[in-house]
Amino acid sequence: QVQLVESGGGLVQAGGSLRLSCAASGVIFNINIMGWYRQAPGKQRELVAAITSGGNTNYADSVKGRFTISRDNGKNTAYLQMNSLKPEDTAVYYCNAELNRGYWGQGTQVTVSP
């Protein structure tokens, strides 16, 4: 059973930074893609950033230049460094891992105050 555990969310003022972590356990195969999604109240879940096992990255336009995704394949862990946070970044952030199928974490709340 694959499990994803996110950590690092919280409350921060606009312009501040947070670092999210996602640790995958129970993995016996390489994780193809790890990604971060977010869902704000009343909105659909959207992709924030994703990274392949080879290190190729993809970002939503709204976070380019502010967020950085990285991963440690040996630890099956992905990170999301979020800088210059804005109130519109407020959402529940979910980790996703693509193996034989997609797996999701439980989510971590990120709140950015004006």
Side-chain angles (χ1 to χ4, degrees):
Q1 182 72 17
V2 176
Q3 291 187 323
L4 303 178
V5 178
E6 301 111 331
S7 60
L11 173 64
V12 65
Q13 288 188 329
S17 298
L18 285 174
R19 188 187 192 217
L20 306 183
S21 298
C22 171
S25 61
V27 178
I28 58 174
F29 298 107
N30 183 45
I31 302 174
N32 296 321
I33 299 173
M34 296 191 78
W36 289 94
Y37 289 71
R38 67 186 180 188
Q39 188 167 18
K43 295 188 177 181
Q44 289 188 331
R45 190 173 297 189
E46 62 176 359
L47 174 67
V48 176
I51 185 168
T52 68
S53 57
N56 293 318
T57 58
N58 182 40
Y59 295 93
D61 288 342
S62 59
V63 307
K64 284 180 180 177
R66 300 188 298 122
F67 291 10
T68 302
I69 189 170
S70 61
R71 64 188 284 178
D72 184 331
N73 291 330
K75 295 181 179 180
N76 288 322
T77 300
Y79 307 94
L80 186 68
Q81 178 66 44
M82 304 185 293
N83 299 328
S84 302
L85 283 160
K86 304 175 180 180
E88 50 263 43
D89 294 318
T90 295
V92 178
Y93 284 70
Y94 296 90
C95 178
N96 171 266
E98 295 292 330
L99 291 89
N100 55 319
R101 67 171 182 87
Y103 294 87
W104 293 92
Q106 79 287 352
T108 185
Q109 177 70 46
V110 171
T111 303
V112 185
S113 63

